[in-house]
Amino acid sequence: AETVAEIQPIGNPQTPELPVTVTDHDGQDVTIESTDRILALDLYGTFSDIVTGLGLGDQLVGRTSSDTSSAMAELPLVTSGGHDLNAEAILSLRPTVVLADTTLGPPEVYDQLRSAGITLVMFDPDRSLETNEDMMARIAQTLGVPAAGEALIERYDAEMEAAQARIDAVVPDDEADLVSAAILYVRGTAGIFFVMGSDSGGDVVESVGALNSAEQAGITGTKPANAEALAALNPDVILVMADGLESTGGLAGLLERPGVAQTAAGQKQRVVDVPDGQLMSYGPQTPQALVALAEAVYNPEGAQ
């Protein structure tokens, strides 16, 4: 799938109106007094995209391995070993507010940050198209820029409408021509290999006009991608993150995993790799990411 353009901030960004007190996902009442030094920590890079879209990207002081934009390339990395948070690296950056969820761990790191007096705001780790706008609004409220949040959501709505029109143009009209698809999460050549269930990215599959293999197989949550699970899925197309595919030895390495080559996708080698920050990140870039995925699934020659 084509890499989408990097997130652009809204025009005329709002100056933060602080202090702000919010109740976070953990039920903690948190008062934010400064956004001068922001850390945005989640597995998908959603939070940093939202912060940038709100016009506060210059106040980000660190990044995770999921934050791949050129604007953040020179910022210090606060994850190690892939997606493990490094408490010492975070504390050394002296953040005035940390936005996080439980998609990155270990959880003890968050306890350390609270004990050190860091202003930490936890958010719902679940991602879906239905909650996308609410996530943007909550982060905007937390950072004291609710009007900027409204502007970002307004732009997102317009882009989603345009994206849907482009997706409709490439998705076959005949239901018999629709393909089934499943998202597989893979890292390396050992045991990190999972099926993303119908409630873990299934709306992305359906939004690009594909049939949700996980839903058809009754798979929810995140399940080991063993031969039995893959046989139940039997998707026409497999969707994977690009770095994950590379880490497992590319297409050849993926096909060597038990059960993959026996699926309809494996037999026809129909695998779509998507930049890691696009496949399930949601956030302000979702419209562009969905168009890129739809093109890759139904119009691969045009997508190249």
Side-chain angles (χ1 to χ4, degrees):
E2 182 180 349
T3 302
V4 302
E6 294 183 3
I7 180 71
Q8 296 298 312
I10 59 167
N12 302 315
Q14 178 185 4
T15 300
E17 298 175 359
L18 301 169
V20 170
T21 299
V22 299
T23 302
D24 73 1
H25 186 64
D26 286 351
Q28 301 275 348
D29 291 331
V30 184
T31 298
I32 299 90
E33 297 182 347
S34 171
T35 59
D36 289 346
R37 301 180 64 80
I38 303 171
L39 268 180
L41 310 175
D42 74 306
L43 178 64
Y44 310 107
T46 308
F47 294 166
S48 62
D49 272 354
I50 294 175
V51 171
T52 301
L54 292 170
L56 299 175
D58 290 345
Q59 282 143 261
L60 290 165
V61 294
R63 65 183 176 90
T64 73
S65 56
S66 299
D67 298 316
T68 57
S69 70
S70 60
M72 298 184 68
E74 300 302 319
L75 294 179
L77 191 65
V78 298
T79 49
S80 58
H83 297 293
D84 291 333
L85 293 172
N86 184 317
E88 290 74 20
I90 293 172
L91 291 170
S92 71
L93 295 175
R94 298 175 291 104
T96 56
V97 59
V98 175
L99 315 174
D101 64 19
T102 55
T103 58
L104 292 179
E108 293 79 13
V109 169
Y110 301 121
D111 295 333
Q112 286 181 259
L113 298 183
R114 287 194 181 101
S115 297
I118 299 295
T119 301
L120 172 66
V121 185
M122 298 296 291
F123 292 85
D124 190 339
D126 291 338
R127 299 284 192 276
S128 75
L129 293 175
E130 288 186 0
T131 61
N132 218 0
E133 294 183 16
D134 183 62
M135 180 73 77
M136 287 184 263
R138 287 180 179 275
I139 289 180
Q141 178 190 9
T142 298
L143 298 179
V145 289
E150 292 174 4
L152 185 62
I153 291 169
E154 183 178 352
R155 186 179 76 181
Y156 167 83
D157 286 340
E159 291 174 346
M160 277 296 288
E161 185 175 349
Q164 191 59 60
R166 292 181 61 186
I167 292 169
D168 290 344
V170 300
V171 175
D173 293 328
D174 191 337
E175 189 171 336
D177 294 328
L178 299 180
V179 300
S180 61
I183 300 175
L184 302 183
Y185 183 85
V186 58
R187 279 292 184 276
T189 57
I192 303 178
F193 191 36
F194 300 100
V195 174
M196 307 306 290
S198 59
D199 55 348
S200 302
D203 55 351
V204 169
V205 172
E206 294 163 2
S207 293
V208 299
L211 304 175
N212 188 346
S213 292
E215 183 175 40
Q216 293 173 334
I219 297 176
T220 59
T222 303
K223 307 296 184 186
N226 52 37
E228 181 181 4
L230 292 170
L233 284 173
N234 194 30
D236 298 314
V237 178
I238 289 172
L239 312 178
V240 293
M241 295 181 185
D243 287 352
L245 183 64
E246 181 181 0
S247 74
T248 201
L251 178 61
L254 181 66
L255 292 173
E256 288 176 0
R257 292 209 172 227
V260 175
Q262 286 69 49
T263 63
Q267 291 169 10
K268 296 183 179 180
Q269 298 189 6
R270 297 185 69 178
V271 177
V272 174
D273 66 311
V274 185
D276 285 34
Q278 287 181 209
L279 185 54
M280 294 175 64
S281 68
Y282 298 97
Q285 294 295 80
T286 296
Q288 296 87 338
L290 291 178
V291 169
L293 183 55
E295 289 278 1
V297 170
Y298 284 113
N299 185 31
E301 293 183 0
Q304 293 177 358

